[in-house]
């Protein structure tokens, strides 16, 4: 819907907004649970296999690095004149929107690490299992991070529309 995703900001949020359409197959594309284990607790065997390496073909399936690689492959199949050899305009537009979002996810610490500790022997799910209290309200560390430390806690309309996009721009200008 053009009205809901015609700016860089709304396009960047679009991958999260797709979850409202119950596209659960893409949920794991937003993160990778790299083990952070400073206390050397026993880590379940599954997590030991999640190791990044230099080869795109060896990336753990259905993780954010894998999704970025898949979206880049789609975009690269088109030449500079936007005349696609394989995918059509929809596929390229989809891949570009996903790339904007997933590159952001890769730069979010809580989307890239799963902390293990004596009280978190199955990991903290990217901060989702760590509770913090902010202004008398309890929320997950991940939720607090995603709200820009409470700056975006104004219950933005999702999917983002013109008014919520304007609100984000106002917050950005205030902190610049």
């Amino acid at each position: 819907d053009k009205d809901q995703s015609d700016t860089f900001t709304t396009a960047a949020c679009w991958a999260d907004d797709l979850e409202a359409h119950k596209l659960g197959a893409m949920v794991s594309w937003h993160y990778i649970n790299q083990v952070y284990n400073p206390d050397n607790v026993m880590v379940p065997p599954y997590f030991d296999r999640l190791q990044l390496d230099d080869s795109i073909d060896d990336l753990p399936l259905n993780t954010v690095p894998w999704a970025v690689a898949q979206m880049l492959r789609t975009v690269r199949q088109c030449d500079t004149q936007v005349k696609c050899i394989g995918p059509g305009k929809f596929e390229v537009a989809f891949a570009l929107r996903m790339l904007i979002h997933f590159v952001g996810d890769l730069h979010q610490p809580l989307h890239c690490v799963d902390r293990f500790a004596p009280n978190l022997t199955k990991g903290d799910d990217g901060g989702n299992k760590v509770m913090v209290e902010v202004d008398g309200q309890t929320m997950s560390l991940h939720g607090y991070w995603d709200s820009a430390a409470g700056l975006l806690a104004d219950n933005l309309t999702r999917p983002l529309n013109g008014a919520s996009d304007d609100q984000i721009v106002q917050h950005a200008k205030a902190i610049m």
Side-chain angles (χ1 to χ4, degrees), residues 58-110:
D58 292 330
L59 290 172
L61 294 177
N62 296 314
T63 61
V64 69
W66 174 88
V68 166
Q70 300 310 310
M71 298 305 124
L72 281 173
R73 284 179 179 164
T74 299
V75 171
R76 287 179 178 154
Q77 290 178 0
C78 292
D79 65 23
T80 57
Q81 312 305 316
V82 192
K83 293 178 183 173
C84 297
I85 298 166
K89 288 183 180 181
F90 171 82
E91 290 84 357
V92 173
F94 179 89
L96 286 171
R97 288 173 186 271
M98 298 302 250
L99 272 172
I100 292 167
H101 183 86
F102 295 149
V103 168
D105 281 347
L106 278 170
H107 289 83
Q108 303 257 4
L110 297 175

Side-chain angles (χ1 to χ4, degrees), residues 3-106:
D3 186 49
Q4 294 181 344
S5 61
D6 62 350
T7 69
F8 185 85
T9 304
T10 54
C13 297
W14 187 68
D16 281 342
D17 293 336
L18 287 177
E19 290 182 37
H21 297 286
K22 308 293 184 221
L23 296 172
M26 294 185 284
V27 169
S28 67
W29 294 9
H30 298 257
Y31 61 88
I32 183 165
N33 288 329
Q34 286 293 104
V35 172
Y36 175 63
N37 190 7
D39 298 318
N40 293 315
V41 298
M42 173 103 59
V43 175
Y46 169 76
F47 289 96
D48 285 337
R49 293 193 308 267
L50 291 176
Q51 299 300 320
L52 288 176
D53 96 15
D54 295 329
S55 170
I56 288 176
D57 293 325
D58 292 330
L59 290 172
L61 294 177
N62 296 314
T63 61
V64 69
W66 174 88
V68 166
Q70 300 310 310
M71 298 305 124
L72 281 173
R73 284 179 179 164
T74 299
V75 171
R76 287 179 178 154
Q77 290 178 0
C78 292
D79 65 23
T80 57
Q81 312 305 316
V82 192
K83 293 178 183 173
C84 297
I85 298 166
K89 288 183 180 181
F90 171 82
E91 290 84 357
V92 173
F94 179 89
L96 286 171
R97 288 173 186 271
M98 298 302 250
L99 272 172
I100 292 167
H101 183 86
F102 295 149
V103 168
D105 281 347
L106 278 170

Side-chain angles (χ1 to χ4, degrees), residues 140-152:
S140 74
L141 177 61
H142 192 114
Y144 184 63
W145 177 272
D146 280 353
S147 75
L151 184 63
L152 298 176

Side-chain angles (χ1 to χ4, degrees), residues 88-166:
K89 288 183 180 181
F90 171 82
E91 290 84 357
V92 173
F94 179 89
L96 286 171
R97 288 173 186 271
M98 298 302 250
L99 272 172
I100 292 167
H101 183 86
F102 295 149
V103 168
D105 281 347
L106 278 170
H107 289 83
Q108 303 257 4
L110 297 175
H111 286 249
C112 295
V113 70
D114 202 354
R115 181 175 178 259
F116 288 78
N119 64 327
L120 296 164
T121 58
K122 294 183 180 177
D124 73 353
D125 287 341
N128 283 302
K129 292 181 182 175
V130 176
M131 296 296 130
V132 295
E133 188 172 321
V134 181
D135 297 327
Q137 183 181 9
T138 302
M139 62 175 48
S140 74
L141 177 61
H142 192 114
Y144 184 63
W145 177 272
D146 280 353
S147 75
L151 184 63
L152 298 176
D154 302 312
N155 297 325
L156 296 171
T157 302
R158 298 301 292 265
L160 292 179
N161 58 25
S164 52
D165 189 33
D166 291 343

